[in-house]
Amino acid sequence: MTETLSLNESVTLTGERADLLRTLNKHRHFLRFTTRDLTDEQAGLRTTVSALCLGGLVKHVAAVERVWVDFILDGPSAMPDFTAMAEADFAERADEFRLLPGETLAGVLAEYAAVARRTDELIAALPDLDATQPLPEAPWFESGARWSARQVLLHIIAETAQHAGHADIIRESLDGAKTMG
């Protein structure tokens, strides 16, 4: 029996695409659920020795998903030039992990939902998950490597799952609440 995944009234996925998006949606849910019932102040608190906070994690995961989907569409030009990044670029990137003045948990969750909808729609519509793009030059990528849309989606799933785990630890440190259990 093939399981289906309905994105909306007109789009139903089966097979690999349904499995991939179902897995991504499960980890997105864990990340969002970890922020339940929090104030903006609580969502911006660091509760461990790391610089991470719950609102910042949601903001970061949304940014990562957005840029990787752009990569599927536009290739390495969608990514920053990692080889030319200066100290100011790294400071700006660090802001992805914090709720900045004027940002709210509701706002970053809404942005994350918009990013997720775009990703889901793209994965449903892509003609070929095997289509590849060359990775940008970066110290952490193998020189000359290419990633398929499938590899990018698996990377987004891994990134989301990893940060959902971070969020669970931060939330438990904040007030004892857990994502599961």
Side-chain angles (χ1 to χ4, degrees):
M1 181 171 136
T2 303
E3 288 193 51
T4 63
L5 174 70
S6 293
L7 295 182
N8 57 47
E9 291 177 11
S10 63
V11 178
T12 300
L13 299 177
T14 61
E16 178 184 26
R17 289 172 200 247
D19 291 344
L20 290 167
L21 287 179
R22 188 176 295 105
T23 301
L24 178 56
N25 283 327
K26 176 178 70 173
H27 294 294
R28 286 173 177 155
H29 166 76
F30 289 148
L31 178 59
R32 286 189 311 265
F33 186 70
T34 303
T35 68
R36 71 196 177 283
D37 302 324
L38 292 180
T39 65
D40 292 336
E41 181 183 356
Q42 290 171 313
L45 290 176
R46 294 173 47 198
T47 63
T48 67
V49 296
S50 87
L52 301 176
C53 68
L54 291 168
L57 278 173
V58 172
K59 187 173 140 181
H60 169 71
V61 171
V64 166
E65 186 169 324
R66 181 185 316 103
V67 78
W68 279 108
V69 167
D70 289 345
F71 171 82
I72 290 171
L73 295 168
D74 302 323
S77 66
M79 302 284 215
D81 181 353
F82 296 110
T83 62
M85 287 180 76
E87 192 172 316
D89 299 309
F90 286 107
E92 185 178 323
R93 186 169 163 86
D95 283 345
E96 275 184 14
F97 292 94
R98 294 189 280 275
L99 273 184
L100 300 176
E103 293 179 331
T104 64
L105 178 59
V108 297
L109 286 168
E111 175 61 20
Y112 187 34
V115 167
R117 277 190 305 277
R118 177 178 176 239
T119 301
D120 293 355
E121 290 167 2
L122 174 69
I123 298 306
L126 273 177
D128 184 5
L129 291 178
D130 290 323
T132 66
Q133 297 277 12
L135 288 173
E137 292 299 317
W140 48 86
F141 293 136
E142 180 184 338
S143 182
R146 299 180 67 88
W147 275 12
S148 67
R150 179 183 296 100
Q151 286 172 293
V152 170
L153 188 54
L154 289 168
H155 178 73
I156 292 169
I157 292 168
E159 182 91 8
T160 304
Q162 179 178 18
H163 288 311
H166 292 147
D168 199 32
I169 292 166
I170 293 167
R171 180 63 191 258
E172 191 170 355
S173 297
L174 177 68
D175 63 6
K178 299 177 186 176
T179 302
M180 297 188 306

